[in-house]
Amino acid sequence: MTPSACPPRADLVLPCLDEAEALPWVLARVPSGWRAIVVDNGSADGSADIARSLGATVVHEPRRGFGAACHAGLLAARAEFVCFCDCDASMDPGLLAPMAERVAAGEADLLLGRRRPQGRGVWPAHARAGNLALARMLRRRTGLRLHDLGPMRVARRDALLGLELTDRRSGYPLQMVVRAADAGWRVAETDVPYLPRAGKSKVTGTWRGTWHAVRDMRRVLAEPPVARPAAAAGVSA
């Protein structure tokens, strides 16, 4: 794809829980002209103050949960395009710029970053196995042949709001994909490097955390399809 002469601007949602160590690296890589929305989900390490000092818009979401933080960021966004990325330095938010270009060009309605581990131990075996199992269940549920349900993604804001996402825990990213598929969206993925994260993982760093995430996502997969015409969701034909 030839880069656009005027790449789209976007709001970048960064759910955050005790990511003081990673924030300077992450915010330094936000594409030029984009607004970084750091959603503080109850940090006790000064993450909100650090983010604010580095120029980010800070939103406080008192309700704990990955989905709660992501959705608070979506509601705070105002740009046509909204991107999501973890705030732990495991992925470079600069990679979202070409992804947003692809969505703006009509190549996809929802574009996901497929994580490609850079080095041994970056993606624990139990987390990778859980992700693979969920990808297979997603394929049976929707027909989508995706390999990863990672957090890096981009879509149009109004269309995302039209999905009426309700999960506020670990199932939020999966519910976004499931409801997008039910609405007839074109969902695609592209490879992105997956780096060693800063600090300790709150979800995939342990078997227990992974199990809770898988449980949340299995509940999402059990939901009945919600019929939404693609045009009504704001998705391009």
Side-chain angles (χ1 to χ4, degrees), residues 79-163:
E80 179 182 0
F81 299 93
V82 176
C83 302
F84 298 84
C85 185
D86 274 353
C87 199
D88 59 8
S90 63
M91 288 172 283
D92 183 348
L95 299 174
L96 283 161
M99 291 175 63
E101 287 192 41
R102 291 178 60 180
V103 174
E107 292 186 31
D109 301 306
L110 174 60
L111 185 58
L112 312 176
R114 179 186 180 184
R115 291 170 287 185
R116 292 294 197 176
Q118 306 297 297
R120 298 183 61 182
V122 173
W123 199 354
H126 57 271
R128 194 180 305 195
N131 187 75
L132 179 60
L134 286 167
R136 289 173 175 169
M137 288 187 283
L138 176 69
R139 186 177 304 175
R140 289 196 296 268
R141 166 67 173 75
T142 66
L144 293 175
R145 300 183 66 84
L146 300 177
H147 301 85
D148 187 15
L149 302 173
M152 181 177 272
R153 51 191 59 199
V154 56
R156 284 178 166 81
R157 175 182 181 271
D158 289 346
L160 286 172
L161 290 172
L163 294 179

Side-chain angles (χ1 to χ4, degrees), residues 21-197:
E21 180 182 348
L23 275 167
W25 187 92
V26 172
L27 292 176
R29 286 160 175 77
V30 175
S32 177
W34 287 25
R35 182 171 66 131
I37 303 175
V38 174
V39 184
D40 186 70
N41 202 208
S43 299
D45 66 349
S47 287
D49 291 337
I50 293 172
R52 195 176 291 110
S53 72
L54 292 171
T57 297
V58 176
V59 173
H60 292 278
E61 174 51 62
R63 181 178 176 181
R64 284 293 183 92
F66 182 77
C70 287
H71 203 70
L74 175 60
L75 294 176
R78 293 294 178 267
E80 179 182 0
F81 299 93
V82 176
C83 302
F84 298 84
C85 185
D86 274 353
C87 199
D88 59 8
S90 63
M91 288 172 283
D92 183 348
L95 299 174
L96 283 161
M99 291 175 63
E101 287 192 41
R102 291 178 60 180
V103 174
E107 292 186 31
D109 301 306
L110 174 60
L111 185 58
L112 312 176
R114 179 186 180 184
R115 291 170 287 185
R116 292 294 197 176
Q118 306 297 297
R120 298 183 61 182
V122 173
W123 199 354
H126 57 271
R128 194 180 305 195
N131 187 75
L132 179 60
L134 286 167
R136 289 173 175 169
M137 288 187 283
L138 176 69
R139 186 177 304 175
R140 289 196 296 268
R141 166 67 173 75
T142 66
L144 293 175
R145 300 183 66 84
L146 300 177
H147 301 85
D148 187 15
L149 302 173
M152 181 177 272
R153 51 191 59 199
V154 56
R156 284 178 166 81
R157 175 182 181 271
D158 289 346
L160 286 172
L161 290 172
L163 294 179
E164 299 179 355
L165 302 175
T166 58
D167 192 281
R168 296 296 181 265
R169 294 172 55 86
S170 300
Y172 187 88
L174 178 62
Q175 189 180 57
M176 183 186 295
V177 175
V178 169
R179 293 197 175 184
D182 288 348
W185 291 25
R186 293 162 301 171
V187 182
E189 61 184 4
T190 187
D191 289 354
V192 297
Y194 192 41
L195 311 171
R197 63 155 291 142

Side-chain angles (χ1 to χ4, degrees), residues 19 69 165 203 209:
E19 301 292 3
L165 302 175
V203 178

